Amino acid sequence: MKALVLVGGLGTRLYPLTYHVPKAMVPMVNVPFAERMVRYLTRFGVDEIIFSVCYLPDPIREHFEKHNTGAVKFHYVFEEKPLDTAGAIKNAERLLDGTFFVLNGDIFVDINLHDVMDFHRQRGAKITIALTPVDDPTAYGVVETDDTGRIRRFLEKPRWDQVTTNHINAGIYVFEEEVLARIPPNRPYSVERALYPHALEEGVPMFGFVSSDYWIDIGTHQKYLRAHRDTLRGCIKVEIPGEQIRDGVWVGADSHIAEGATIEPPVVIGRGCQIATGARLGPFAVLGDEVSVDKDACVAESVLWRGTRVGEGARLRECILGRSCVVQPGTRVETLTAFEDNSTV
Ligand code: GDD
Ligand code: MG
């Protein structure tokens, strides 16, 4: 089974984290996001993955060239200029056939893809969209269905007065190959604003599969942190790297935690980290590899990418720090803030 993953967006809502790292490669509990996506897809028998890349394509390809176990065949389809979601799918047409999955590259999910595919086949759909309930549908594509699951309306980023349901497009689709003929080649074209509304007008059988399984998109700082919290709480069944040394505490190889340090679970510590005496970690602290937390520094509800140093007595809460940052001694940052790679804070 093939899956096309859209990873060409700029990731602007995650700036400054995504200045140097594409959204698809930001770490999610110390595993690159795209790697988590691949593990998810392979659980459901996907063995051929096409990444549709545009902005910062190299890190994705380099990662999978280095870490390919051979179980999955990878392809990369590049765009000179962004072709938007449907244009990007069209651009990969030569690699697609039969029935296949298409996924947004920034969703962290546990939706059962076997169930989505079975539903698609039972309904005889040409397009199936996985749907998930959310509190604020205005940030997404709202999808109205009838009792049989047939889609009646698709409205991208509606105003509140246009919201008729809390079911939104989860960014997981099943397509029949013939749908590709509906997308004009070599120009920007949107799945959400053009392909779906037009297909509905023309009576193409499109169905919505409602799932209550875990779903979040990691497109903003807040949701990126929430996805970490949810993972550490066990809301989504994914692997957490490191050895679980006690309930809710994972530690990578070659890390050293001083006697007088306090760890309040859940906490994830990468490899080669140094936690000094008097330091306090957690709850909900995730440290990448080679992070050091100096004497009496506190890190809670934060995600620190690899190579960062937190100076003596500093306090971080609700922070996301890119790679190799330096937090100067005594610094306090205690409201939601994100710092790019190599920042001095
Ligand atoms: N190759 C390529 N080219 N990929 C693109 C392009 C492009 O021009 N534009 C966006 N993408 C990719 C992004 O990288 C992302 O993985 C996916 O397409 C969706 O784009 P976002 O920018 O993240 O869209 P969104 O979050 O505002 O809305 C989309 O996702 C929601 C669910 O998270 C829509 O599909 C909504 O309908 C949906 O509810
Ligand atoms: Mg998104």
Side-chain angles (χ1 to χ4, degrees):
M1 179 60 64
K2 289 183 184 177
L4 170 73
V5 185
L6 297 167
V7 290
L10 291 172
T12 51
R13 286 163 293 181
L14 278 179
Y15 279 171
L17 297 168
T18 40
Y19 283 163
H20 313 285
V21 183
K23 180 160 63 170
M25 287 302 287
V26 303
M28 178 53 59
V29 192
N30 290 345
V31 175
F33 198 72
E35 174 71 41
R36 295 224 177 258
M37 175 64 91
V38 167
R39 292 181 195 175
Y40 166 66
L41 291 170
T42 50
R43 264 174 53 208
F44 297 101
V46 171
D47 55 3
E48 206 166 335
I49 297 176
I50 302 143
F51 283 109
S52 168
V53 287
C54 183
Y55 173 68
L56 294 176
D58 297 340
I60 302 175
R61 182 140 89 175
E62 282 161 15
H63 175 83
F64 290 108
E65 274 169 6
K66 225 162 101 189
H67 296 97
N68 191 356
T69 59
V72 178
K73 189 163 183 203
F74 291 102
H75 306 270
Y76 305 88
V77 180
F78 295 88
E79 294 157 37
E80 292 281 313
K81 290 203 189 103
L83 289 171
D84 208 338
T85 43
I89 300 169
K90 183 74 174 178
N91 196 38
E93 187 166 17
R94 67 189 160 82
L95 295 166
L96 298 167
D97 51 66
T99 309
F100 53 89
F101 290 107
V102 176
L103 292 100
N104 287 349
D106 62 346
I107 49 169
F108 191 42
V109 284
D110 208 10
I111 293 179
N112 187 314
L113 293 179
H114 290 317
D115 292 348
V116 181
M117 186 57 83
D118 289 347
F119 173 91
H120 175 83
R121 296 210 157 109
Q122 279 157 11
R123 296 293 193 283
K126 296 296 176 209
I127 298 171
T128 293
I129 306 179
L131 309 180
T132 187
V134 294
D135 294 335
D136 177 5
T138 61
Y140 304 98
V142 162
V143 186
E144 279 174 32
T145 52
D146 69 13
D147 297 345
T148 66
R150 187 153 179 156
I151 297 175
R152 292 290 163 215
R153 193 161 84 126
F154 189 107
L155 189 58
E156 184 66 13
K157 314 267 160 39
R159 300 186 310 265
W160 264 111
D161 63 332
Q162 296 173 308
V163 172
T164 49
T165 165
N166 67 341
H167 286 163
I168 60 109
N169 166 21
I172 296 178
Y173 319 130
V174 183
F175 273 30
E176 291 300 317
E177 181 183 356
E178 63 198 77
V179 171
L180 299 175
R182 302 187 147 270
I183 309 172
N186 305 319
R187 69 171 175 92
Y189 199 70
S190 162
V191 159
E192 298 86 349
R193 297 179 195 276
L195 177 67
Y196 289 165
H198 293 161
L200 285 170
E201 271 168 31
E202 287 163 29
V204 173
M206 288 176 58
F207 284 81
F209 174 86
V210 181
S211 169
S212 53
D213 290 326
Y214 184 83
W215 181 91
I216 195 169
D217 82 284
I218 58 144
T220 65
H221 298 147
Q222 219 150 14
K223 288 191 281 180
Y224 179 72
L225 282 182
R226 195 185 312 150
H228 277 81
R229 257 195 324 265
D230 291 347
T231 306
L232 268 53
R233 275 196 192 115
C235 303
I236 176 165
K237 296 268 163 296
V238 292
E239 185 220 342
I240 296 180
E243 185 193 344
Q244 193 165 1
I245 57 162
R246 63 184 163 98
D247 210 20
V249 181
W250 291 263
V251 181
D254 305 319
S255 284
H256 180 256
I257 303 170
E259 281 280 322
T262 309
I263 311 284
E264 192 182 333
V267 166
V268 177
I269 297 171
R271 284 176 296 198
C273 293
Q274 300 292 332
I275 315 301
T277 189
R280 298 183 70 92
L281 296 183
F284 300 108
V286 176
L287 312 187
D289 295 343
E290 278 148 39
V291 167
S292 40
V293 180
D294 292 350
K295 191 164 168 283
D296 300 331
C298 301
V299 179
E301 287 170 54
S302 296
V303 177
L304 277 50
W305 297 1
R306 76 176 133 83
T308 280
R309 171 155 201 178
V310 183
E312 187 171 329
R315 300 173 71 94
L316 301 176
R317 173 177 294 277
E318 281 192 72
C319 289
I320 310 165
L321 272 72
R323 294 170 294 194
S324 306
C325 292
V326 175
V327 181
Q328 291 176 304
T331 305
R332 296 175 78 132
V333 186
E334 299 185 292
T335 50
L336 182 60
T337 318
F339 299 92
E340 67 178 295
D341 290 359
N342 304 309
S343 294
T344 302
V345 179

mmCIF file of all heavy atoms in Angstrom, residues 143-181:
data_model
loop_
_atom_site.group_PDB
_atom_site.id
_atom_site.type_symbol
_atom_site.label_atom_id
_atom_site.label_comp_id
_atom_site.label_asym_id
_atom_site.label_seq_id
_atom_site.Cartn_x
_atom_site.Cartn_y
_atom_site.Cartn_z
ATOM 1 N N VAL A 143 -16.339 19.508 7.942
ATOM 2 C CA VAL A 143 -16.908 18.535 7.010
ATOM 3 C C VAL A 143 -18.276 18.066 7.499
ATOM 4 O O VAL A 143 -18.382 17.453 8.568
ATOM 5 C CB VAL A 143 -15.964 17.315 6.842
ATOM 6 C CG1 VAL A 143 -16.495 16.381 5.761
ATOM 7 C CG2 VAL A 143 -14.548 17.774 6.493
ATOM 8 N N GLU A 144 -19.297 18.350 6.713
ATOM 9 C CA GLU A 144 -20.665 17.899 7.049
ATOM 10 C C GLU A 144 -20.959 16.600 6.317
ATOM 11 O O GLU A 144 -20.723 16.497 5.116
ATOM 12 C CB GLU A 144 -21.693 18.915 6.541
ATOM 13 C CG GLU A 144 -21.893 20.102 7.423
ATOM 14 C CD GLU A 144 -22.825 21.109 6.754
ATOM 15 O OE1 GLU A 144 -23.745 20.717 5.993
ATOM 16 O OE2 GLU A 144 -22.599 22.300 6.978
ATOM 17 N N THR A 145 -21.520 15.647 7.070
ATOM 18 C CA THR A 145 -21.886 14.365 6.448
ATOM 19 C C THR A 145 -23.351 14.057 6.717
ATOM 20 O O THR A 145 -23.935 14.622 7.650
ATOM 21 C CB THR A 145 -21.043 13.212 7.035
ATOM 22 O OG1 THR A 145 -21.150 13.264 8.460
ATOM 23 C CG2 THR A 145 -19.597 13.299 6.640
ATOM 24 N N ASP A 146 -23.923 13.127 5.934
ATOM 25 C CA ASP A 146 -25.280 12.658 6.238
ATOM 26 C C ASP A 146 -25.195 11.370 7.074
ATOM 27 O O ASP A 146 -24.096 10.951 7.465
ATOM 28 C CB ASP A 146 -26.107 12.499 4.953
ATOM 29 C CG ASP A 146 -25.617 11.338 4.088
ATOM 30 O OD1 ASP A 146 -24.811 10.507 4.581
ATOM 31 O OD2 ASP A 146 -26.030 11.255 2.921
ATOM 32 N N ASP A 147 -26.342 10.722 7.301
ATOM 33 C CA ASP A 147 -26.374 9.529 8.161
ATOM 34 C C ASP A 147 -25.523 8.374 7.636
ATOM 35 O O ASP A 147 -25.079 7.526 8.405
ATOM 36 C CB ASP A 147 -27.822 9.000 8.286
ATOM 37 C CG ASP A 147 -28.706 10.029 8.949
ATOM 38 O OD1 ASP A 147 -28.148 10.969 9.548
ATOM 39 O OD2 ASP A 147 -29.952 9.892 8.845
ATOM 40 N N THR A 148 -25.312 8.329 6.337
ATOM 41 C CA THR A 148 -24.532 7.221 5.772
ATOM 42 C C THR A 148 -23.046 7.554 5.739
ATOM 43 O O THR A 148 -22.240 6.733 5.324
ATOM 44 C CB THR A 148 -24.973 6.924 4.317
ATOM 45 O OG1 THR A 148 -24.629 8.062 3.503
ATOM 46 C CG2 THR A 148 -26.465 6.648 4.227
ATOM 47 N N GLY A 149 -22.698 8.773 6.153
ATOM 48 C CA GLY A 149 -21.297 9.182 6.114
ATOM 49 C C GLY A 149 -20.942 9.929 4.838
ATOM 50 O O GLY A 149 -19.812 10.388 4.672
ATOM 51 N N ARG A 150 -21.920 10.072 3.936
ATOM 52 C CA ARG A 150 -21.613 10.780 2.684
ATOM 53 C C ARG A 150 -21.398 12.267 2.971
ATOM 54 O O ARG A 150 -22.153 12.876 3.736
ATOM 55 C CB ARG A 150 -22.745 10.586 1.679
ATOM 56 C CG ARG A 150 -22.368 11.151 0.330
ATOM 57 C CD ARG A 150 -23.083 10.465 -0.807
ATOM 58 N NE ARG A 150 -22.665 11.091 -2.051
ATOM 59 C CZ ARG A 150 -22.702 10.529 -3.241
ATOM 60 N NH1 ARG A 150 -23.135 9.295 -3.348
ATOM 61 N NH2 ARG A 150 -22.298 11.174 -4.306
ATOM 62 N N ILE A 151 -20.365 12.838 2.383
ATOM 63 C CA ILE A 151 -20.037 14.238 2.666
ATOM 64 C C ILE A 151 -20.971 15.158 1.877
ATOM 65 O O ILE A 151 -21.177 14.981 0.675
ATOM 66 C CB ILE A 151 -18.558 14.535 2.342
ATOM 67 C CG1 ILE A 151 -17.669 13.688 3.270
ATOM 68 C CG2 ILE A 151 -18.244 16.027 2.510
ATOM 69 C CD1 ILE A 151 -16.187 13.791 2.998
ATOM 70 N N ARG A 152 -21.551 16.114 2.597
ATOM 71 C CA ARG A 152 -22.461 17.096 1.989
ATOM 72 C C ARG A 152 -21.751 18.414 1.739
ATOM 73 O O ARG A 152 -22.073 19.148 0.822
ATOM 74 C CB ARG A 152 -23.664 17.334 2.923
ATOM 75 C CG ARG A 152 -24.566 16.136 3.054
ATOM 76 C CD ARG A 152 -25.317 15.910 1.736
ATOM 77 N NE ARG A 152 -25.879 14.579 1.654
ATOM 78 C CZ ARG A 152 -25.965 13.878 0.531
ATOM 79 N NH1 ARG A 152 -25.498 14.347 -0.602
ATOM 80 N NH2 ARG A 152 -26.518 12.690 0.536
ATOM 81 N N ARG A 153 -20.821 18.760 2.612
ATOM 82 C CA ARG A 153 -20.167 20.053 2.463
ATOM 83 C C ARG A 153 -18.761 19.998 3.057
ATOM 84 O O ARG A 153 -18.549 19.337 4.084
ATOM 85 C CB ARG A 153 -20.971 21.134 3.191
ATOM 86 C CG ARG A 153 -20.550 22.550 2.846
ATOM 87 C CD ARG A 153 -21.635 23.546 3.205
ATOM 88 N NE ARG A 153 -21.509 23.906 4.621
ATOM 89 C CZ ARG A 153 -21.419 25.158 5.060
ATOM 90 N NH1 ARG A 153 -21.469 26.171 4.225
ATOM 91 N NH2 ARG A 153 -21.312 25.404 6.340
ATOM 92 N N PHE A 154 -17.843 20.697 2.423
ATOM 93 C CA PHE A 154 -16.473 20.841 2.935
ATOM 94 C C PHE A 154 -16.159 22.331 2.926
ATOM 95 O O PHE A 154 -16.195 22.975 1.884
ATOM 96 C CB PHE A 154 -15.478 20.101 2.040
ATOM 97 C CG PHE A 154 -14.095 20.049 2.639
ATOM 98 C CD1 PHE A 154 -13.584 18.873 3.165
ATOM 99 C CD2 PHE A 154 -13.291 21.190 2.690
ATOM 100 C CE1 PHE A 154 -12.313 18.829 3.741
ATOM 101 C CE2 PHE A 154 -12.030 21.163 3.274
ATOM 102 C CZ PHE A 154 -11.541 19.973 3.793
ATOM 103 N N LEU A 155 -15.877 22.876 4.082
ATOM 104 C CA LEU A 155 -15.607 24.310 4.148
ATOM 105 C C LEU A 155 -14.318 24.553 4.942
ATOM 106 O O LEU A 155 -14.250 24.279 6.140
ATOM 107 C CB LEU A 155 -16.796 25.022 4.803
ATOM 108 C CG LEU A 155 -16.760 26.547 4.752
ATOM 109 C CD1 LEU A 155 -16.672 27.072 3.319
ATOM 110 C CD2 LEU A 155 -18.004 27.107 5.442
ATOM 111 N N GLU A 156 -13.317 25.077 4.248
ATOM 112 C CA GLU A 156 -12.007 25.291 4.869
ATOM 113 C C GLU A 156 -12.011 26.582 5.691
ATOM 114 O O GLU A 156 -12.475 27.618 5.211
ATOM 115 C CB GLU A 156 -10.935 25.335 3.769
ATOM 116 C CG GLU A 156 -9.501 25.465 4.263
ATOM 117 C CD GLU A 156 -8.992 24.250 5.043
ATOM 118 O OE1 GLU A 156 -9.633 23.185 5.023
ATOM 119 O OE2 GLU A 156 -7.940 24.385 5.695
ATOM 120 N N LYS A 157 -11.492 26.503 6.903
ATOM 121 C CA LYS A 157 -11.353 27.646 7.813
ATOM 122 C C LYS A 157 -12.633 28.509 7.844
ATOM 123 O O LYS A 157 -12.610 29.692 7.459
ATOM 124 C CB LYS A 157 -10.132 28.505 7.440
ATOM 125 C CG LYS A 157 -8.854 27.725 7.168
ATOM 126 C CD LYS A 157 -7.977 27.581 8.367
ATOM 127 C CE LYS A 157 -6.955 26.475 8.324
ATOM 128 N NZ LYS A 157 -6.213 26.110 7.178
ATOM 129 N N PRO A 158 -13.750 27.932 8.271
ATOM 130 C CA PRO A 158 -15.008 28.685 8.288
ATOM 131 C C PRO A 158 -15.004 29.756 9.372
ATOM 132 O O PRO A 158 -14.219 29.681 10.322
ATOM 133 C CB PRO A 158 -16.044 27.606 8.628
ATOM 134 C CG PRO A 158 -15.274 26.609 9.428
ATOM 135 C CD PRO A 158 -13.880 26.598 8.862
ATOM 136 N N ARG A 159 -15.873 30.748 9.203
ATOM 137 C CA ARG A 159 -16.122 31.673 10.312
ATOM 138 C C ARG A 159 -17.022 30.941 11.301
ATOM 139 O O ARG A 159 -17.693 29.973 10.948
ATOM 140 C CB ARG A 159 -16.861 32.929 9.808
ATOM 141 C CG ARG A 159 -16.127 33.740 8.762
ATOM 142 C CD ARG A 159 -16.920 35.029 8.492
ATOM 143 N NE ARG A 159 -18.340 34.764 8.239
ATOM 144 C CZ ARG A 159 -18.884 34.620 7.025
ATOM 145 N NH1 ARG A 159 -18.137 34.715 5.941
ATOM 146 N NH2 ARG A 159 -20.186 34.380 6.881
ATOM 147 N N TRP A 160 -17.085 31.455 12.537
ATOM 148 C CA TRP A 160 -17.895 30.762 13.542
ATOM 149 C C TRP A 160 -19.349 30.622 13.103
ATOM 150 O O TRP A 160 -19.982 29.600 13.329
ATOM 151 C CB TRP A 160 -17.818 31.457 14.910
ATOM 152 C CG TRP A 160 -16.780 30.802 15.785
ATOM 153 C CD1 TRP A 160 -15.591 31.343 16.170
ATOM 154 C CD2 TRP A 160 -16.824 29.476 16.353
ATOM 155 N NE1 TRP A 160 -14.891 30.442 16.942
ATOM 156 C CE2 TRP A 160 -15.624 29.293 17.069
ATOM 157 C CE3 TRP A 160 -17.747 28.432 16.316
ATOM 158 C CZ2 TRP A 160 -15.331 28.115 17.754
ATOM 159 C CZ3 TRP A 160 -17.453 27.251 16.998
ATOM 160 C CH2 TRP A 160 -16.253 27.105 17.707
ATOM 161 N N ASP A 161 -19.875 31.655 12.432
ATOM 162 C CA ASP A 161 -21.287 31.569 12.032
ATOM 163 C C ASP A 161 -21.520 30.577 10.887
ATOM 164 O O ASP A 161 -22.656 30.310 10.519
ATOM 165 C CB ASP A 161 -21.844 32.961 11.685
ATOM 166 C CG ASP A 161 -21.145 33.587 10.487
ATOM 167 O OD1 ASP A 161 -19.964 33.257 10.248
ATOM 168 O OD2 ASP A 161 -21.773 34.389 9.787
ATOM 169 N N GLN A 162 -20.440 30.030 10.338
ATOM 170 C CA GLN A 162 -20.590 29.020 9.281
ATOM 171 C C GLN A 162 -20.393 27.601 9.824
ATOM 172 O O GLN A 162 -20.498 26.628 9.086
ATOM 173 C CB GLN A 162 -19.548 29.265 8.177
ATOM 174 C CG GLN A 162 -19.738 30.585 7.445
ATOM 175 C CD GLN A 162 -18.571 30.835 6.501
ATOM 176 O OE1 GLN A 162 -17.398 30.772 6.899
ATOM 177 N NE2 GLN A 162 -18.882 31.119 5.251
ATOM 178 N N VAL A 163 -20.080 27.505 11.112
ATOM 179 C CA VAL A 163 -19.770 26.193 11.696
ATOM 180 C C VAL A 163 -21.062 25.459 12.035
ATOM 181 O O VAL A 163 -21.873 25.955 12.803
ATOM 182 C CB VAL A 163 -18.898 26.357 12.961
ATOM 183 C CG1 VAL A 163 -18.729 25.023 13.676
ATOM 184 C CG2 VAL A 163 -17.539 26.937 12.601
ATOM 185 N N THR A 164 -21.236 24.286 11.414
ATOM 186 C CA THR A 164 -22.464 23.519 11.649
ATOM 187 C C THR A 164 -22.182 22.187 12.326
ATOM 188 O O THR A 164 -23.092 21.457 12.682
ATOM 189 C CB THR A 164 -23.163 23.235 10.307
ATOM 190 O OG1 THR A 164 -22.170 22.727 9.413
ATOM 191 C CG2 THR A 164 -23.794 24.497 9.732
ATOM 192 N N THR A 165 -20.911 21.855 12.476
ATOM 193 C CA THR A 165 -20.524 20.589 13.100
ATOM 194 C C THR A 165 -19.123 20.772 13.673
ATOM 195 O O THR A 165 -18.382 21.651 13.230
ATOM 196 C CB THR A 165 -20.505 19.444 12.064
ATOM 197 O OG1 THR A 165 -19.787 18.322 12.617
ATOM 198 C CG2 THR A 165 -19.804 19.832 10.778
ATOM 199 N N ASN A 166 -18.768 19.944 14.659
ATOM 200 C CA ASN A 166 -17.389 20.013 15.175
ATOM 201 C C ASN A 166 -16.494 18.956 14.518
ATOM 202 O O ASN A 166 -15.371 18.735 14.940
ATOM 203 C CB ASN A 166 -17.371 19.876 16.701
ATOM 204 C CG ASN A 166 -17.802 18.499 17.155
ATOM 205 O OD1 ASN A 166 -18.433 17.755 16.399
ATOM 206 N ND2 ASN A 166 -17.479 18.156 18.395
ATOM 207 N N HIS A 167 -17.007 18.299 13.475
ATOM 208 C CA HIS A 167 -16.186 17.310 12.757
ATOM 209 C C HIS A 167 -15.334 18.011 11.722
ATOM 210 O O HIS A 167 -15.848 18.692 10.839
ATOM 211 C CB HIS A 167 -17.076 16.269 12.070
ATOM 212 C CG HIS A 167 -17.665 15.303 13.036
ATOM 213 N ND1 HIS A 167 -18.733 14.504 12.747
ATOM 214 C CD2 HIS A 167 -17.319 15.006 14.308
ATOM 215 C CE1 HIS A 167 -19.028 13.760 13.786
ATOM 216 N NE2 HIS A 167 -18.180 14.050 14.759
ATOM 217 N N ILE A 168 -14.017 17.811 11.840
ATOM 218 C CA ILE A 168 -13.127 18.478 10.896
ATOM 219 C C ILE A 168 -12.278 17.458 10.148
ATOM 220 O O ILE A 168 -12.147 16.302 10.558
ATOM 221 C CB ILE A 168 -12.223 19.521 11.600
ATOM 222 C CG1 ILE A 168 -11.335 18.859 12.667
ATOM 223 C CG2 ILE A 168 -13.050 20.644 12.205
ATOM 224 C CD1 ILE A 168 -9.893 18.790 12.324
ATOM 225 N N ASN A 169 -11.724 17.928 9.060
ATOM 226 C CA ASN A 169 -10.804 17.144 8.244
ATOM 227 C C ASN A 169 -9.548 16.844 9.058
ATOM 228 O O ASN A 169 -8.818 17.754 9.431
ATOM 229 C CB ASN A 169 -10.485 17.975 6.997
ATOM 230 C CG ASN A 169 -9.303 17.447 6.226
ATOM 231 O OD1 ASN A 169 -8.937 16.284 6.352
ATOM 232 N ND2 ASN A 169 -8.710 18.313 5.413
ATOM 233 N N ALA A 170 -9.300 15.562 9.294
ATOM 234 C CA ALA A 170 -8.137 15.164 10.089
ATOM 235 C C ALA A 170 -6.855 15.121 9.257
ATOM 236 O O ALA A 170 -5.780 14.821 9.787
ATOM 237 C CB ALA A 170 -8.397 13.794 10.718
ATOM 238 N N GLY A 171 -6.949 15.395 7.960
ATOM 239 C CA GLY A 171 -5.744 15.388 7.121
ATOM 240 C C GLY A 171 -5.299 13.996 6.723
ATOM 241 O O GLY A 171 -4.128 13.759 6.427
ATOM 242 N N ILE A 172 -6.256 13.049 6.709
ATOM 243 C CA ILE A 172 -5.975 11.682 6.228
ATOM 244 C C ILE A 172 -7.033 11.364 5.171
ATOM 245 O O ILE A 172 -8.224 11.444 5.453
ATOM 246 C CB ILE A 172 -6.096 10.643 7.363
ATOM 247 C CG1 ILE A 172 -5.055 10.904 8.436
ATOM 248 C CG2 ILE A 172 -5.977 9.213 6.815
ATOM 249 C CD1 ILE A 172 -5.143 9.946 9.621
ATOM 250 N N TYR A 173 -6.557 11.036 3.958
ATOM 251 C CA TYR A 173 -7.487 10.755 2.867
ATOM 252 C C TYR A 173 -7.176 9.403 2.245
ATOM 253 O O TYR A 173 -6.029 8.970 2.220
ATOM 254 C CB TYR A 173 -7.357 11.800 1.738
ATOM 255 C CG TYR A 173 -7.189 13.221 2.217
ATOM 256 C CD1 TYR A 173 -6.155 14.035 1.725
ATOM 257 C CD2 TYR A 173 -8.063 13.772 3.159
ATOM 258 C CE1 TYR A 173 -5.998 15.342 2.155
ATOM 259 C CE2 TYR A 173 -7.917 15.082 3.596
ATOM 260 C CZ TYR A 173 -6.867 15.858 3.092
ATOM 261 O OH TYR A 173 -6.715 17.152 3.523
ATOM 262 N N VAL A 174 -8.241 8.767 1.716
ATOM 263 C CA VAL A 174 -8.035 7.649 0.784
ATOM 264 C C VAL A 174 -8.524 8.135 -0.575
ATOM 265 O O VAL A 174 -9.621 8.687 -0.671
ATOM 266 C CB VAL A 174 -8.816 6.387 1.204
ATOM 267 C CG1 VAL A 174 -8.502 5.237 0.247
ATOM 268 C CG2 VAL A 174 -8.497 5.989 2.637
ATOM 269 N N PHE A 175 -7.695 7.972 -1.566
ATOM 270 C CA PHE A 175 -8.034 8.402 -2.927
ATOM 271 C C PHE A 175 -8.080 7.201 -3.864
ATOM 272 O O PHE A 175 -7.267 6.279 -3.743
ATOM 273 C CB PHE A 175 -6.927 9.316 -3.491
ATOM 274 C CG PHE A 175 -7.075 10.777 -3.167
ATOM 275 C CD1 PHE A 175 -7.692 11.207 -2.004
ATOM 276 C CD2 PHE A 175 -6.562 11.740 -4.042
ATOM 277 C CE1 PHE A 175 -7.801 12.566 -1.708
ATOM 278 C CE2 PHE A 175 -6.658 13.093 -3.756
ATOM 279 C CZ PHE A 175 -7.281 13.512 -2.595
ATOM 280 N N GLU A 176 -9.010 7.271 -4.813
ATOM 281 C CA GLU A 176 -8.928 6.398 -5.980
ATOM 282 C C GLU A 176 -8.148 7.161 -7.037
ATOM 283 O O GLU A 176 -8.324 8.378 -7.205
ATOM 284 C CB GLU A 176 -10.330 6.050 -6.493
ATOM 285 C CG GLU A 176 -11.124 5.140 -5.556
ATOM 286 C CD GLU A 176 -10.444 3.804 -5.299
ATOM 287 O OE1 GLU A 176 -9.918 3.203 -6.266
ATOM 288 O OE2 GLU A 176 -10.428 3.373 -4.135
ATOM 289 N N GLU A 177 -7.334 6.428 -7.750
ATOM 290 C CA GLU A 177 -6.448 7.031 -8.764
ATOM 291 C C GLU A 177 -7.162 8.030 -9.680
ATOM 292 O O GLU A 177 -6.611 9.078 -10.038
ATOM 293 C CB GLU A 177 -5.877 5.864 -9.573
ATOM 294 C CG GLU A 177 -4.927 6.214 -10.651
ATOM 295 C CD GLU A 177 -4.496 4.945 -11.421
ATOM 296 O OE1 GLU A 177 -4.897 3.826 -11.050
ATOM 297 O OE2 GLU A 177 -3.762 5.119 -12.407
ATOM 298 N N GLU A 178 -8.422 7.710 -10.044
ATOM 299 C CA GLU A 178 -9.126 8.559 -11.016
ATOM 300 C C GLU A 178 -9.351 9.986 -10.524
ATOM 301 O O GLU A 178 -9.583 10.891 -11.314
ATOM 302 C CB GLU A 178 -10.461 7.916 -11.405
ATOM 303 C CG GLU A 178 -11.416 7.782 -10.239
ATOM 304 C CD GLU A 178 -12.547 6.775 -10.501
ATOM 305 O OE1 GLU A 178 -12.275 5.563 -10.412
ATOM 306 O OE2 GLU A 178 -13.659 7.219 -10.807
ATOM 307 N N VAL A 179 -9.253 10.188 -9.203
ATOM 308 C CA VAL A 179 -9.421 11.537 -8.647
ATOM 309 C C VAL A 179 -8.323 12.478 -9.175
ATOM 310 O O VAL A 179 -8.537 13.679 -9.340
ATOM 311 C CB VAL A 179 -9.385 11.474 -7.098
ATOM 312 C CG1 VAL A 179 -9.328 12.866 -6.488
ATOM 313 C CG2 VAL A 179 -10.581 10.690 -6.576
ATOM 314 N N LEU A 180 -7.163 11.904 -9.470
ATOM 315 C CA LEU A 180 -6.023 12.724 -9.910
ATOM 316 C C LEU A 180 -6.332 13.496 -11.192
ATOM 317 O O LEU A 180 -5.801 14.575 -11.425
ATOM 318 C CB LEU A 180 -4.777 11.840 -10.112
ATOM 319 C CG LEU A 180 -4.295 11.105 -8.858
ATOM 320 C CD1 LEU A 180 -3.147 10.163 -9.205
ATOM 321 C CD2 LEU A 180 -3.869 12.106 -7.783
ATOM 322 N N ALA A 181 -7.228 12.942 -12.009
ATOM 323 C CA ALA A 181 -7.598 13.604 -13.266
ATOM 324 C C ALA A 181 -8.343 14.916 -13.006
ATOM 325 O O ALA A 181 -8.465 15.755 -13.901
ATOM 326 C CB ALA A 181 -8.464 12.669 -14.102
#
